[in-house]
Amino acid sequence: QVQLVESGGNLVQPGGSLRLSCEVSGLPLANYSVGWFRQAPGREREGVSCISGGSSRRKFYGDSVSGRFTIDKDNSKNVMWLQMDRLEPEDTAIYYCTAKKGAGTWTSASVWTYWGQGTQVTVSS
């Protein structure tokens, strides 16, 4: 059974940092693309970042987080992370980790297969 479990969400002041983690069980991360999405109230789920599966391990970022967020994973531990710096109130959302076999398009939630339950990130003074 595949499980993705996020942790690390919290309340943080604007300009602060958070590190989200996602522990994955039931599938080998080395062969899968992994990513982070977020969803704010009243808005659609938005692609935040992605690492391509396989040997390329290319990293992709949404325009709104590029230069502030960093994604990474450890295949040996089946864990992925999202380091979020210079957080803004607009980053407030529930953050989800996700995984899918292979590479290809990543920004649409519909192409992803496995999802975690989400962790709340609130950026507010």
Side-chain angles (χ1 to χ4, degrees):
Q1 183 179 357
V2 177
Q3 279 193 313
L4 287 75
V5 180
E6 303 95 339
S7 61
N10 211 331
L11 170 64
V12 63
Q13 292 188 343
S17 297
L18 279 178
R19 183 179 174 89
L20 304 183
S21 298
C22 178
E23 296 186 10
V24 182
S25 59
L27 57 85
L29 279 192
N31 299 332
Y32 282 73
S33 294
V34 295
W36 290 91
F37 277 69
R38 67 186 181 185
Q39 189 164 20
R43 301 189 66 175
E44 292 188 359
R45 198 165 290 195
E46 173 192 13
V48 174
S49 184
C50 161
I51 300 179
S52 289
S55 60
S56 71
R57 294 189 58 148
R58 289 187 63 189
K59 298 181 180 180
F60 302 90
Y61 297 94
D63 290 342
S64 61
V65 306
S66 182
R68 300 188 297 121
F69 290 11
T70 303
I71 189 173
D72 209 347
K73 65 173 180 173
D74 185 331
N75 291 334
S76 65
K77 297 181 180 178
N78 255 33
V79 177
M80 54 189 286
W81 301 278
L82 184 69
Q83 176 67 38
M84 306 186 296
D85 299 317
R86 304 199 309 274
L87 283 160
E88 304 168 354
E90 293 73 24
D91 296 317
T92 296
I94 298 174
Y95 283 71
Y96 300 88
C97 60
T98 185
K100 67 181 179 82
K101 193 75 177 291
T105 184
W106 72 275
T107 57
S108 173
S110 64
V111 305
W112 293 86
T113 307
Y114 304 104
W115 292 87
Q117 292 300 306
T119 185
Q120 176 71 47
V121 172
T122 303
V123 185
S124 175
S125 55

